[in-house]
Amino acid sequence: MEYRYLGNSGLKISEITYGNWLTHGSQVENDVATQCVHAALDAGISTFDTADVYANTVAESVLGEALRGQRRESLEIFTKVYFPTGPGGKNDTGLSRKHIMESVNASLQRLQTDYVDLYQAHRYDTATPLEETMLAFADVVRQGKALYIGVSEWTADQLRAGVEMSRELGFQLVSNQPQYSMLWRVIEDEVVPTAQELGVSQIVWSPMAQGVLSGKYEPGAQPPAGSRAADENGGADMIKRFMNDDVLKRVQKLRPVAEETGLSMAQLAIAWVLQNENVATALVGASRPEQVGENVKAAGVRLDKSTMKAIDKALGKVVERDAALTARTTPRSRLA
Ligand code: NDP
């Protein structure tokens, strides 16, 4: 495993982070979840990402249990706040001071830890003044419940305003968590240059486009049993954006490119996001421990210019690059 600094902080994290969205507490049984976490630890992954909303809080509990007994100082544990949890009461959502303060305590309890390394705003909250959110985050840090603060899917302007305020309040906003893969490059034109200027890293989600870039979904064929596209607990719905023949045919064209480099298609996809120097880590999911073993081999891989060009040629027009799509991930009103 290779390790990178998170933003301009002194915190080192593994180039590959294990994430448990849609798997723990949902698609996979708890014993398999634990096996995946242990496979990650065995492979040198020290960084784990979850959120209070995953499986409506159960994913945090499953991760906390799977990590029980590990040396806390050797781990970096990340979680998030924003989306509605619990019974979905009017204040069980968003980035108000009340919801942040209550949520962090509940997350720590489920994760069986006194602090998280990174506490992230899962989205931007247009209903709460940014000052209120940032002051609450400052207090969470001063109380020692989180060491660093991050955000997810914020636009360049939102990032700039957040970082400026974090500096005034004396805490470190070090990361943004956007979707990023060979197929989804919308952060490249605006978010990445701004973040670089601000000393903020990207920690990127769905680097394999939820498994699509592994090449296992054949155009015109039924998804393999047990895969996310066949998961009626929510997975099939989440992945459907990429499940069309235009995309799947183009993805098959990556097979010879991967073979040329000696990597599997999954490894090529993860290595690709790590070529961007603003990316501190690829957040990778797994439904089976063997996948973790395969995926970690993408750490430390350097792809040459001809491989990067061959990837662009193979994917052609199905690559999404529209910078305006980041703003569209900000919910128009607070979800509740
Ligand atoms: P990936 O693109 O890594 O997809 C992971 C899925 O792909 C696995 O669950 C598995 O699904 C399949 N897969 C993994 N390895 C292989 C392999 N070697 N060969 C074939 N299939 C494979 O990322 P995710 O979409 O899971 O997201 C990763 C993390 O990002 C999340 O856990 C979460 O931490 C974060 N995230 C953050 C969001 C945000 O808003 N901030 C939103 C979404 C995710 P299967 O076997 O079932 O097909």
Side-chain angles (χ1 to χ4, degrees), residues 133-326:
T133 297
M134 290 293 143
L135 199 48
F137 278 147
D139 290 343
V140 165
V141 171
R142 288 201 226 297
Q143 289 169 358
K145 293 175 181 171
L147 306 186
Y148 301 89
I149 296 297
V151 299
S152 174
E153 294 289 6
W154 281 26
T155 64
D157 288 347
Q158 290 164 349
L159 273 177
R160 190 179 294 286
V163 168
E164 275 169 14
M165 221 172 273
S166 72
R167 287 182 185 150
E168 281 163 28
L169 293 166
F171 71 91
Q172 289 163 284
L173 195 169
V174 291
S175 61
N176 178 47
Q177 185 174 140
Q179 179 174 184
Y180 187 51
S181 69
M182 290 175 188
L183 287 169
W184 193 266
R185 307 189 193 178
V186 306
I187 57 171
E188 286 181 350
D189 287 348
E190 293 178 10
V191 170
V192 166
T194 303
Q196 269 171 326
E197 184 200 321
L198 296 169
V200 166
S201 284
Q202 309 303 317
I203 59 181
V204 301
W205 59 269
S206 297
M208 259 181 287
Q210 304 194 39
V212 167
L213 287 166
S214 73
K216 69 182 173 188
Y217 299 110
E218 303 274 351
Q222 285 297 313
S227 65
R228 184 172 294 181
D231 170 27
E232 294 306 327
N233 284 331
D237 199 39
M238 291 298 171
I239 201 176
K240 70 175 181 231
R241 177 178 202 290
F242 296 116
M243 295 296 291
N244 63 72
D245 282 359
D246 275 358
V247 170
L248 299 183
K249 277 185 195 155
R250 287 289 187 164
V251 168
Q252 290 304 321
K253 291 183 190 235
L254 293 169
R255 197 172 293 283
V257 183
E259 278 163 9
E260 181 88 356
T261 58
L263 299 170
S264 71
M265 287 174 73
Q267 290 161 351
L268 182 72
I270 299 164
W272 184 89
V273 298
L274 291 169
Q275 305 308 299
N276 184 325
E277 59 184 27
N278 189 223
V279 171
T281 188
L283 299 172
V284 178
S287 66
R288 292 193 295 284
E290 307 81 72
Q291 292 176 339
V292 180
E294 177 184 342
N295 299 341
V296 289
K297 296 196 185 108
V301 169
R302 283 269 132 235
L303 300 176
D304 59 29
K305 276 193 182 140
S306 65
T307 305
M308 296 298 273
K309 269 195 178 155
I311 290 168
D312 290 349
K313 191 162 173 240
L315 293 176
K317 62 181 174 32
V318 297
V319 173
E320 182 59 72
R321 298 174 190 273
D322 182 1
L325 289 173
T326 297

